[in-house]
């Protein structure tokens, strides 16, 4: 009995003490909670309105109490948008098991007092703005099972104390700034199911000890800088469902052991540097729904097992080096496939054409591979859930199938960069969900369907680089959603809407350049508030001015209206475009000064004003635009000196000021302020002073053109040899003298060396032979002497050699005539001797031009020419060849346009094969010893413009057909032994300018109204013949006649024609020995251009042949 009473007493005492303790500690909890509330500076939804001292806390929002002790057990304030910091007193909630402050705007450090929460199992601070180092004391919360710091700004390293959290199941520190390595001891957290460390700054290798996390279901390490191989031990994680390692620097092969992950549902390995083949076994993981391997360096073929799974939903293998072919019936084993990415690989074979079994397919990307040529599969029309179809750059040809129009949910259709032809199908108008249409870079023709513009969800239209014609449908320009319109590089005609912007409030990009648009260029642009890229150039707009309204396009970054028939001044409003990066106004007729307001374009990177008629000085302020990389002002009428600020910018790459009237001098140390300069064009100006000689700081200079200026006499700067990236050097016509410096030979990348039209002397330096990249060598019109270096011919990339008009001597190196690349060889007007190779063409299959005339060459003229298939201009004349005949093989040179073999010691007949040269424009055989008749086949030379056969011994009649060559402007047949009458057709051509038939034995009469058929005649020589009949007296139609020689013939007696007085351009009149009687001279002197006396000029002596 006593024992029972004692027990009751003790029980009552315990209840009393518990009640007393609860009363005391709940007060502590209230104090802690109210302290937290006081640290909150913003409670937008008044979520904590019922938190006040007189109320019971267990009923407060977010608070849950322990039913046994009445203490606060759980505090869940997630998603309330609270703003503030955490009160240190929160650490007094000694019974707290769960603390969830996620999805708020808390900031600052986590107070260390939270270490007192020894019962805490869940700590969720995700999606806040906490910062500072990850707390090292976190490991003392030994009861923790779920720890989430996701989406904060925690930094520092993963604390070693973390391994004390032996009960931890979830560790989610995604999206912070945590650095360092993943500690190997993390493998001791045996109960861990979710390890999420993505989007941090972790580096180093993935520790092998992760394989000890035997309960792990989710491993997220993506978006870090982890390197090395994927540890093969990872294959022991039997419960792993998601492996997320994307966006790191992992390398090596994909481990075979991944095939052991029998529970795996998602594999994320994209955006690494993994190489080798995809393991075959991966495809055998039947629970694997999603495979992401894109953007690696994987090679070999795709395992067929990848395409055989009832569970597979996503397959992303794009941006690799995968080869081989895809299964023909790819969909058969993939009934749940939603996404297939294999684009940007090296896949070949036939593109699969059976798609009807892929019922769930929403996103299909096959483009940028090397499939066999084929057509767009019509079965795509059965993919009724398809939202994205990308088969661009897939070697497709033929028409776009109309079945494409069945894809009601399609948002993106990408067929660009193929060889598609025919019309754009009308059925595209049925794609009511379409947002992007990519058909650029094909051969589509016909009109743009009107209905395309009616697709109101269509934001982006890409139809550029096709053969589309007709006008642009106005509906294209009427959509509240339209952002991009690219119709450039087509044959579109018609005009643009005057108020184009009215229906396009969201327009960001408009490309209609490179078409045949006409009419007035639109001038109302203020409603295009979002327009950033506008390209209207290269069209046929009516003449107009640059619209000043462009100044209202405040977001404009690119303006291209070059070649648009614009005139007048550049409007100063252009200067309002603060974000403009590229201003392209080239190839117009703009005039006046360059506006000062261009200096306000602080974002400008490229300024294109070339090929206009701009005048005045270049504004000084342009050079102060420090972001301005490229300045193109060439081919204008700019004058004055170049502002020194042009040459002072760390960003400047291209400066083109050529073909102007700029004067003054260049800075001596021009390169000092231009470390990135790649191109400098100042040629064709009036620059003077000393040519700059300090060039070593222009490390990036690749193209330098200083020529055709008025520099002081000087020498070629040896410092050019330091420009190791130089590809083009043009300093021709620059008043240079002295030797070519041997340092030029250091320019290993030089493609063009242009030193012509100077006063350079001495020998051609041997070091030119070191220019292994040289394609063009221009040394003409100097005073270079000595032999041509043998080594020049060994430059196998050297296509064009110009050494004419020097004092070069000795023989021509045979290596000059031995190159598969050689196109032009100009060695004329020198003192070169020796002979030419007999089979000169054998080593020159691409030769287009050969000039060796005006030298002292001897030996036999080459006669084998049939291998020079490309030869268009051949000049061998004025040499000392052995006597020989005109090679009949010239008739095989079917592309020949100019043949000059005058004064070449040739005899015999002109071969009839000459008549095969359909493209020949100039035939020069004068000053030889040719004999016999002029071949009738010359009449076949339908392109002939000049015929030079003078000073030979040709006989017989002039072929009638010669006169029928309507393009023949100049006929030189003088000083031969030609007889018979002159064909009347000679005097009947709208193109004829010169007719020289003098010093022959021609007879018959001249046409009475000779000028009627010769409106362009400038010169007529028929003197020293046996012409008879009446001298023509009607001359007023010969408006261009400057030199008329009719004398020394046997005309009937007559008087001097008074009509000679109408020949206002006449400079020479020779009618001596013409059986004329003179009654008056007054009308002769009315020809103000007649320079000779009215008395007969001295006879022209017939020179020796």
């Amino acid at each position: 009995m006593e024992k029972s009473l004692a027990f009751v007493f003790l029980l009552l005492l315990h209840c009393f003490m518990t009640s007393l303790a609860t009363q005391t500690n709940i007060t502590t909890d209230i104090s802690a909670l109210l302290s937290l509330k006081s640290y909150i500076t913003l409670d937008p939804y008044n979520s904590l309105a019922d938190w006040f001292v007189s109320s019971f806390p267990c009923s407060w929002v977010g608070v849950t109490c322990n039913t046994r002790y009445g203490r606060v057990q759980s505090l869940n304030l997630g998603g309330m948008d609270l703003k503030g910091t955490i009160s240190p007193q929160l650490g007094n909630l000694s019974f707290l098991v769960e603390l969830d402050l996620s999805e708020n705007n808390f900031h600052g450090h986590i107070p260390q007092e939270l270490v007192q929460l020894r019962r805490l199992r869940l700590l969720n601070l995700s999606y806040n703005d906490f910062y500072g180092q990850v707390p090292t004391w976190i490991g003392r919360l030994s009861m923790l099972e779920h720890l989430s710091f996701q989406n904060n700004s925690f930094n520092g390293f993963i604390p070693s104390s973390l391994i004390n959290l032996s009960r931890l199941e979830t560790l989610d520190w995604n999206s912070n700034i945590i650095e360092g390595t993943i500690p190997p001891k993390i493998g001791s957290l045996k109960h861990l199911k979710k390890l999420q460390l993505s989007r941090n700054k972790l580096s180093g290798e993935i520790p092998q000890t992760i394989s000890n996390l035997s309960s792990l279901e989710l491993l997220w390490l993506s978006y870090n800088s982890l390197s090395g191989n994927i540890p093969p031990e990872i294959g022991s994680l039997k419960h792993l469902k998601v492996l997320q390692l994307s966006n790191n620097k992992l390398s090596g092969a994909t481990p075979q052991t991944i095939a052991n992950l029998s529970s795996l549902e998602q594999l994320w390995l994209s955006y690494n540097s993994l190489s080798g083949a995809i393991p075959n076994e991966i495809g055998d993981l039947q629970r694997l729904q999603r495979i992401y391997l894109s953007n690696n360096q994987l090679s070999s073929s795709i395992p067929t097992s990848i395409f055989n799974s009832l569970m597979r939903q996503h397959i992303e293998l794009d941006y690799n080096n995968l080869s081989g072919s895809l299964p023909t019936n790819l969909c058969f084993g993939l009934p749940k496939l939603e996404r297939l990415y294999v684009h940007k690989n090296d896949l070949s074979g036939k593109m699969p054409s059976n798609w009807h079994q892929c019922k769930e397919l929403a996103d299909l990307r096959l483009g940028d591979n090397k499939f066999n040529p084929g057509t767009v599969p019509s079965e795509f029309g059965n993919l009724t859930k398809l939202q994205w179809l990308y088969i661009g750059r897939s070697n497709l040809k033929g028409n776009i199938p109309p079945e494409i129009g069945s894809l009601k949910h399609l948002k993106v259709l990408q067929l660009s960069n193929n060889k598609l032809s025919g019309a754009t199908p009308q059925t595209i108008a049925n794609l009511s969900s379409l947002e992007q249409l990519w058909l650029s870079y094909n051969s589509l023709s016909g009109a743009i369907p009107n209905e395309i513009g009616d697709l109101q969800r269509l934001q982006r239209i890409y139809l550029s680089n096709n053969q589309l014609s007709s006008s642009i449908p106005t509906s294209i320009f009427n959509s509240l959603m339209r952002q991009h319109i690219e119709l450039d590089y087509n044959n579109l005609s018609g005009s643009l809407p005057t108020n184009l912007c009215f229906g396009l409030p969201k327009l960001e990009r408009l490309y209609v350049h490179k078409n045949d648009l006409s009419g007035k260029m639109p001038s109302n642009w203020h409603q295009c508030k979002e327009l950033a890229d506008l390209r209207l150039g290269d069209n046929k707009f009516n003449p107009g001015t640059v619209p000043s309204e462009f100044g209202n396009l405040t977001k404009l970054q690119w303006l291209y209206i070059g070649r648009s028939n614009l005139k007048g001044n550049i409007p100063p409003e252009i200067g309002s475009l603060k974000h403009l990066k590229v201003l392209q106004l080239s190839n117009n007729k703009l005039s006046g000064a360059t506006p000062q307001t261009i200096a306000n374009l602080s974002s400008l990177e490229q300024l294109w004003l070339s090929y206009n008629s701009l005048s005045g000085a270049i504004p000084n302020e342009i050079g102060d635009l420090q972001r301005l990389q490229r300045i193109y002002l060439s081919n204008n009428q700019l004058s004055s000196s170049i502002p020194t600020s042009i040459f002072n910018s760390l960003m400047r790459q291209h400066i083109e000021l050529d073909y102007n009237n700029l004067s003054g001098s260049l800075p001596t140390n021009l390169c000092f302020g231009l470390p990135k300069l790649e191109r400098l064009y100042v040629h064709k100006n009036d620059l003077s002073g000393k040519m700059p000689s300090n060039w070593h700081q222009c490390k990036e200079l690749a193209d330098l053109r200083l020529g055709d200026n008025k520099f002081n006499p000087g020498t070629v700067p040896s410092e050019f040899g330091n420009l190791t990236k130089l590809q083009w050097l043009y300093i021709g016509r620059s008043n240079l003298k002295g030797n070519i410096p041997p340092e030029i030979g250091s320019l290993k990348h030089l493609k063009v060396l242009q030193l012509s039209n100077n006063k350079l002397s001495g020998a051609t330096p041997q070091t030119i032979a070191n220019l292994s990249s040289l394609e063009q060598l221009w040394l003409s019109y100097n005073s270079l002497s000595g032999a041509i270096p043998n080594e020049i011919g060994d430059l196998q990339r050297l296509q064009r050699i110009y050494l004419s008009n020097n004092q070069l001597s000795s023989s021509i190196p045979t290596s000059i005539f031995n190159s598969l690349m050689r196109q032009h060889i100009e060695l004329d007007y020198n003192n070169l001797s020796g002979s030419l190779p007999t089979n000169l063409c054998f080593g020159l299959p691409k030769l287009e031009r050969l000039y060796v005339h005006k030298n002292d060459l001897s030996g036999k003229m080459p006669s084998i020419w049939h291998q020079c298939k490309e030869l268009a201009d051949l000049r061998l004349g004025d040499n000392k060849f052995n006597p020989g005949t005109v090679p009949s093989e010239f008739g095989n040179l079917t592309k020949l346009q100019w043949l000059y073999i005058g004064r070449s010691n040739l005899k015999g007949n002109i071969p009839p094969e000459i008549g095969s040269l359909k493209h020949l424009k100039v035939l020069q055989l004068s000053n030889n010893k040719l004999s016999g008749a002029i071949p009738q086949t010359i009449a076949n030379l339908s392109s002939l413009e000049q015929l030079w056969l003078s000073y030979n011994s040709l006989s017989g009649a002039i072929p009638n057909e010669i006169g029928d060559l309507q393009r023949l402007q100049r006929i030189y047949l003088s000083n031969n032994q030609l007889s018979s009458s002159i064909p009347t057709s000679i005097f009947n051509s709208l193109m004829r300018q010169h007719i020289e038939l003098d010093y022959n034995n021609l007879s018959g009469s001249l046409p009475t109204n000779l000028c009627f058929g010769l409106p362009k005649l400038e010169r007529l020589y028929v003197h020293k013949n046996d012409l008879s009949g009446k001298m023509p007296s009607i001359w007023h139609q010969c408006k261009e006649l400057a030199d008329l020689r009719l004398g020394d013939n046997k005309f009937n007696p007559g008087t001097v024609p008074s009509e000679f007085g109408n020949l206002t351009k006449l400079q020479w009149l020779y009618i001596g020995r013409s059986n004329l009687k003179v009654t008056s001279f007054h009308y002769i002197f009315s020809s103000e251009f007649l320079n000779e006396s009215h008395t007969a000029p001295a006879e022209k002596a017939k020179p020796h042949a």
Side-chain angles (χ1 to χ4, degrees):
M1 183 67 179
E2 290 179 357
K3 289 183 179 179
S4 298
L5 289 171
F7 175 76
V8 170
F9 173 76
L10 289 172
L11 182 61
L12 290 172
L13 179 63
H14 174 74
C15 291
F16 172 75
M17 293 301 293
T18 300
S19 176
L20 185 62
T22 301
Q23 186 64 36
T24 303
N25 290 331
I26 197 67
T27 303
T28 303
D29 290 354
I30 292 172
S31 176
L33 292 173
L34 291 177
S35 177
L36 174 62
K37 180 180 180 180
S38 70
Y39 275 63
I40 293 172
T41 58
L42 179 64
D43 179 4
Y45 309 118
N46 290 318
S47 302
L48 308 184
D50 61 347
W51 284 29
F52 52 90
V53 70
S54 60
S55 62
F56 187 60
C58 295
S59 62
W60 292 357
V61 170
V63 178
T64 303
C65 291
N66 182 298
T67 56
R68 181 176 179 184
Y69 299 109
R71 297 292 303 277
V72 175
Q73 174 180 287
S74 172
L75 178 60
N76 186 347
L77 303 182
M80 294 183 180
D81 286 341
L82 302 173
K83 186 175 183 179
T85 57
I86 297 179
S87 165
Q89 289 191 43
L90 204 61
N92 294 333
L93 297 174
S94 55
F95 277 74
L96 198 64
V97 175
E98 295 183 359
L99 175 59
D100 187 348
L101 301 180
S102 62
E103 298 184 57
N104 283 292
N105 294 305
F106 286 109
H107 59 276
H109 295 269
I110 302 175
Q112 188 167 352
E113 287 78 2
L114 295 191
V115 76
Q116 299 165 192
L117 303 176
R118 300 304 174 92
R119 291 183 172 88
L120 200 63
R121 295 180 184 176
L122 182 148
L123 176 58
N124 188 353
L125 302 181
S126 59
Y127 292 95
N128 280 288
D129 296 317
F130 292 115
Y131 54 82
Q133 291 194 344
V134 176
T136 57
W137 46 261
I138 199 72
R140 292 161 65 183
L141 299 175
S142 58
M143 302 293 287
L144 270 179
E145 296 174 0
H146 303 281
L147 175 59
S148 179
F149 289 166
Q150 184 179 0
N151 274 87
N152 281 284
S153 298
F154 289 113
N155 57 28
F157 304 93
I158 298 174
S160 58
S161 64
L162 190 69
I163 64 172
N164 298 327
L165 304 179
S166 59
R167 299 188 179 195
L168 199 62
E169 295 180 10
T170 301
L171 177 62
D172 184 357
W173 289 357
N174 283 346
S175 300
N176 281 283
I177 319 172
I178 300 168
E179 54 189 322
T181 60
I182 301 172
K185 290 185 178 180
I186 203 166
S188 63
L189 301 175
K190 302 292 187 181
H191 297 285
L192 201 60
K193 294 181 179 180
K194 297 180 181 180
L195 176 57
Q196 297 171 261
L197 299 175
S198 292
R199 296 186 184 273
N200 280 288
K201 293 187 175 182
L202 297 172
S203 58
E205 297 187 355
I206 301 172
Q208 297 176 2
T209 55
I210 279 186
S211 63
N212 298 330
L213 302 175
S214 56
S215 300
L216 201 63
E217 297 177 2
L218 191 152
L219 176 59
W220 279 26
L221 301 178
S222 58
Y223 291 94
N224 281 291
S225 296
L226 299 172
S227 57
N229 294 346
I230 300 172
E233 292 82 1
I234 216 161
S236 61
L237 302 174
K238 301 295 185 183
H239 300 287
L240 195 66
K241 295 181 179 179
V242 179
L243 176 58
Q244 228 297 19
L245 304 180
S246 296
N247 296 86
N248 279 290
K249 299 177 181 179
L250 299 171
S251 58
T254 311
Q256 298 281 342
T257 56
I258 284 181
N260 300 329
L261 302 176
S262 54
S263 300
L264 198 65
E265 297 174 2
Q266 297 184 28
L267 175 62
W268 300 69
L269 300 181
S270 299
Y271 293 93
N272 281 291
S273 297
L274 299 174
S275 57
I278 301 171
N280 288 323
E281 297 81 0
I282 285 181
D284 296 330
L285 295 170
Q286 290 305 305
R287 295 185 184 179
L288 187 55
Q289 301 168 21
R290 303 189 176 193
I291 303 175
Y292 303 110
L293 299 178
S294 62
N295 287 269
N296 279 287
Q297 300 167 19
L298 299 171
S299 56
S300 195
S301 59
I302 304 170
T304 54
S305 57
I306 293 282
F307 304 109
N308 190 14
S309 170
L310 298 179
M311 302 298 290
R312 203 85 77 229
Q313 296 171 350
H314 293 187
I315 301 173
E316 293 191 9
L317 309 176
D318 50 299
Y319 286 90
N320 279 290
N321 303 315
L322 297 168
S323 57
S325 59
L326 294 175
T328 307
N329 197 358
L330 176 148
C331 291
F332 180 76
L334 296 170
K336 292 187 178 180
L337 187 66
E338 298 173 0
R339 184 187 301 172
L340 175 61
Y341 291 2
V342 292
H343 57 286
K344 294 281 184 181
N345 277 291
D346 294 322
L347 298 176
S348 57
K350 186 178 178 183
M351 179 184 286
S353 57
N354 296 325
W355 294 94
H356 62 278
Q357 291 171 305
C358 284
K359 301 294 187 185
E360 305 301 317
L361 195 57
D363 196 341
L364 176 59
R365 308 191 188 188
L366 306 175
D368 281 275
N369 278 293
K370 299 176 180 178
F371 293 119
N372 294 350
T375 57
V376 179
S378 59
E379 273 228 358
F380 285 151
N382 295 322
L383 301 175
T384 55
K385 292 188 177 181
L386 201 62
Q387 296 181 35
W388 193 302
L389 177 59
Y390 169 30
I391 48 174
R393 221 179 244 107
S394 294
N395 211 4
L396 297 170
K397 59 183 179 178
N399 294 346
I400 299 171
E403 290 82 355
I404 288 289
S406 304
L407 304 175
K408 302 296 184 184
H409 301 287
L410 196 67
K411 294 182 179 180
V412 177
L413 176 59
Q414 219 292 28
L415 305 180
S416 295
N417 296 91
N418 283 296
K419 300 172 184 177
L420 299 172
S421 58
T424 311
Q426 298 284 339
T427 57
I428 283 181
N430 300 330
L431 303 177
S432 55
S433 300
L434 198 65
E435 296 175 3
Q436 296 183 30
L437 176 62
W438 299 70
L439 300 179
S440 299
Y441 294 94
N442 281 291
S443 298
L444 298 173
S445 58
I448 300 170
N450 288 323
E451 296 81 1
I452 284 181
D454 297 329
L455 295 170
Q456 289 304 305
R457 294 184 183 178
L458 187 55
Q459 300 168 22
R460 303 188 175 194
I461 302 175
Y462 303 112
L463 299 178
S464 61
N465 288 268
N466 279 288
Q467 300 167 19
L468 298 170
S469 57
S470 194
S471 59
I472 303 171
T474 54
S475 58
I476 294 283
F477 303 109
N478 189 14
S479 169
L480 298 178
M481 302 299 291
R482 203 85 77 230
Q483 296 171 350
H484 292 187
I485 301 172
E486 293 191 8
L487 309 176
D488 51 298
Y489 286 90
N490 278 291
N491 304 314
L492 297 168
S493 57
S495 59
L496 294 175
T498 307
N499 197 358
L500 176 147
C501 290
F502 181 76
L504 296 169
K506 293 186 178 180
L507 187 66
E508 298 172 1
R509 184 187 301 173
L510 176 61
Y511 291 2
V512 293
H513 57 286
K514 294 281 183 179
N515 277 291
D516 294 322
L517 299 176
S518 57
K520 185 179 179 183
M521 179 184 287
S523 57
N524 296 325
W525 294 94
H526 62 279
Q527 290 171 306
C528 284
K529 301 294 187 186
E530 306 300 317
L531 194 57
D533 195 341
L534 177 59
R535 308 191 188 188
L536 306 175
D538 282 275
N539 277 293
K540 299 176 179 178
F541 293 119
N542 294 351
T545 57
V546 179
S548 59
E549 273 228 359
F550 285 151
N552 295 322
L553 301 176
T554 55
K555 292 188 178 180
L556 201 62
Q557 297 181 34
W558 193 302
L559 177 59
Y560 169 30
I561 48 174
R563 224 180 241 105
S564 294
N565 211 4
L566 297 170
K567 59 183 179 178
N569 294 345
I570 299 172
E573 290 82 357
I574 288 288
S576 305
L577 304 175
K578 303 296 184 185
H579 301 287
L580 196 67
K581 294 181 179 180
V582 177
L583 177 59
Q584 221 292 28
L585 306 181
S586 296
N587 297 90
N588 282 296
K589 300 173 184 177
L590 299 173
S591 57
T594 310
Q596 298 284 339
T597 56
I598 283 182
N600 299 331
L601 302 177
S602 55
S603 300
L604 198 64
E605 296 175 4
Q606 297 183 29
L607 175 62
W608 300 70
L609 301 180
S610 300
Y611 294 93
N612 281 291
S613 298
L614 298 173
S615 57
I618 300 171
N620 288 322
E621 296 82 0
I622 284 182
D624 297 329
L625 295 171
Q626 291 304 305
R627 294 184 183 177
L628 187 55
Q629 301 168 21
R630 304 188 175 194
I631 303 175
Y632 302 113
L633 300 177
S634 61
N635 287 269
N636 278 288
Q637 299 167 19
L638 298 170
S639 56
S640 193
S641 60
I642 304 171
T644 54
S645 58
I646 293 283
F647 303 108
N648 189 14
S649 169
L650 298 178
M651 301 299 291
R652 203 86 77 229
Q653 296 171 350
H654 293 187
I655 301 172
E656 294 191 9
L657 309 176
D658 49 299
Y659 286 90
N660 278 291
N661 304 314
L662 298 168
S663 58
S665 60
L666 295 175
T668 307
N669 197 359
L670 175 147
C671 290
F672 181 76
L674 297 169
K676 293 187 178 179
L677 186 66
E678 298 172 1
R679 184 187 300 172
L680 176 61
Y681 291 2
V682 292
H683 57 286
K684 295 282 183 178
N685 276 292
D686 294 322
L687 298 177
S688 57
K690 185 179 179 183
M691 178 185 287
S693 57
N694 296 325
W695 294 94
H696 63 279
Q697 289 170 307
C698 284
K699 302 293 187 186
E700 305 301 316
L701 194 57
D703 195 340
L704 176 60
R705 308 191 189 188
L706 306 175
D708 282 275
N709 277 293
K710 299 176 180 177
F711 293 119
N712 294 349
T715 58
V716 178
S718 60
E719 273 228 359
F720 285 151
N722 294 321
L723 300 176
T724 55
K725 292 188 178 180
L726 201 63
Q727 297 181 34
W728 193 303
L729 177 59
Y730 168 30
I731 46 174
R733 226 179 240 105
S734 293
N735 210 4
L736 297 170
K737 60 183 179 178
N739 294 344
I740 299 172
E743 290 83 355
I744 288 290
S746 304
L747 304 176
K748 303 295 185 184
H749 301 287
L750 195 67
K751 295 181 179 180
V752 177
L753 176 60
Q754 220 292 28
L755 306 180
S756 296
N757 297 90
N758 282 295
K759 300 173 184 177
L760 299 173
S761 58
T764 310
Q766 299 283 340
T767 57
I768 283 181
N770 299 330
L771 303 177
S772 54
S773 301
L774 198 65
E775 296 175 3
Q776 297 183 28
L777 175 62
W778 299 68
L779 300 180
S780 300
Y781 294 93
N782 280 291
S783 298
L784 298 173
S785 57
I788 301 171
N790 288 323
E791 296 82 1
I792 285 181
D794 297 329
L795 296 170
Q796 290 304 305
R797 295 184 183 178
L798 186 55
Q799 301 168 21
R800 303 189 175 194
I801 303 175
Y802 303 112
L803 300 177
S804 61
N805 288 269
N806 278 288
Q807 300 168 20
L808 298 170
S809 58
S810 193
S811 59
I812 304 171
T814 55
S815 58
I816 293 284
F817 303 109
N818 189 14
S819 169
L820 297 179
M821 302 299 290
R822 203 85 77 228
Q823 296 171 350
H824 293 186
I825 301 173
E826 293 191 9
L827 309 176
D828 49 301
Y829 286 90
N830 277 291
N831 303 315
L832 297 169
S833 58
S835 60
L836 295 175
T838 306
N839 195 358
L840 175 147
C841 291
F842 180 76
L844 297 169
K846 293 186 178 180
L847 187 66
E848 298 172 0
R849 184 187 301 171
L850 176 61
Y851 291 2
V852 292
H853 58 287
K854 296 283 184 180
N855 276 292
D856 294 323
L857 298 176
S858 57
K860 185 179 178 182
M861 178 185 286
S863 58
I864 302 173
W865 294 93
H866 64 276
Q867 290 170 306
C868 284
K869 301 293 187 185
E870 305 301 317
L871 194 58
D873 196 340
L874 176 60
R875 307 191 189 189
L876 306 175
D878 281 276
N879 277 294
K880 299 176 180 178
F881 293 120
N882 294 350
T885 58
V886 179
S888 60
E889 274 229 359
F890 286 151
N892 295 321
L893 302 175
T894 55
K895 292 188 177 181
L896 201 63
Q897 297 181 35
W898 193 302
L899 177 59
Y900 168 30
I901 47 174
R903 221 178 246 106
S904 294
N905 210 4
L906 296 170
K907 60 183 179 178
N909 293 345
I910 300 171
E913 290 83 355
I914 288 290
S916 304
L917 304 176
K918 303 295 185 183
H919 301 287
L920 196 68
K921 294 181 179 180
V922 177
L923 177 60
Q924 220 291 30
L925 305 181
S926 296
N927 297 90
N928 282 295
K929 300 173 183 177
L930 299 173
S931 58
I934 300 172
Q936 297 285 338
T937 57
I938 283 182
N940 299 330
L941 303 177
S942 55
S943 300
L944 198 65
E945 297 175 2
Q946 297 184 29
L947 176 62
W948 299 69
L949 300 179
S950 299
Y951 295 94
N952 280 291
S953 298
L954 298 171
S955 59
I958 300 171
N960 287 324
E961 296 82 0
I962 285 180
D964 297 329
L965 296 170
Q966 290 304 305
R967 295 183 183 179
L968 186 55
Q969 301 168 22
R970 303 188 176 194
I971 302 174
Y972 302 113
L973 300 179
S974 61
N975 288 272
N976 278 287
Q977 300 168 21
L978 298 170
S979 58
S980 193
S981 61
I982 303 170
T984 55
S985 58
I986 294 284
F987 303 108
N988 189 13
S989 170
L990 298 178
M991 302 298 291
R992 203 86 76 228
Q993 297 170 351
H994 293 188
I995 301 172
E996 294 192 8
L997 308 176
D998 50 301
Y999 286 92
N1000 278 290
N1001 303 314
L1002 297 168
S1003 58
S1005 61
L1006 294 175
T1008 307
N1009 196 357
L1010 175 148
C1011 290
F1012 180 77
L1014 297 169
K1016 293 186 178 180
L1017 186 67
E1018 299 171 359
R1019 184 187 302 172
L1020 176 61
Y1021 291 1
V1022 292
H1023 58 287
K1024 294 286 183 177
N1025 275 292
D1026 294 324
L1027 298 176
S1028 58
K1030 185 179 179 182
M1031 178 184 287
S1033 59
I1034 302 173
W1035 294 94
H1036 64 277
Q1037 290 171 307
C1038 284
K1039 302 292 186 185
E1040 306 300 319
L1041 194 58
D1043 194 343
L1044 177 59
R1045 308 192 187 188
L1046 306 175
D1048 281 276
N1049 276 293
K1050 300 175 179 178
F1051 292 120
N1052 293 350
T1055 58
V1056 178
S1058 61
E1059 277 228 359
F1060 285 154
N1062 295 321
L1063 301 176
T1064 56
K1065 293 187 178 181
L1066 200 64
Q1067 298 179 32
W1068 192 300
L1069 177 59
Y1070 169 29
I1071 48 175
R1073 269 197 198 89
S1074 294
N1075 209 2
L1076 297 171
K1077 53 186 178 180
V1078 178
T1079 57
S1080 175
F1081 282 111
H1082 72 274
Y1083 51 84
I1084 297 292
F1085 296 112
S1086 67
S1087 181
E1088 57 181 308
F1089 293 100
L1090 192 61
N1091 295 323
E1092 300 296 328
S1093 165
H1094 66 273
T1095 56
E1099 287 187 10
K1100 175 181 171 185
K1102 182 174 182 178
H1104 297 292

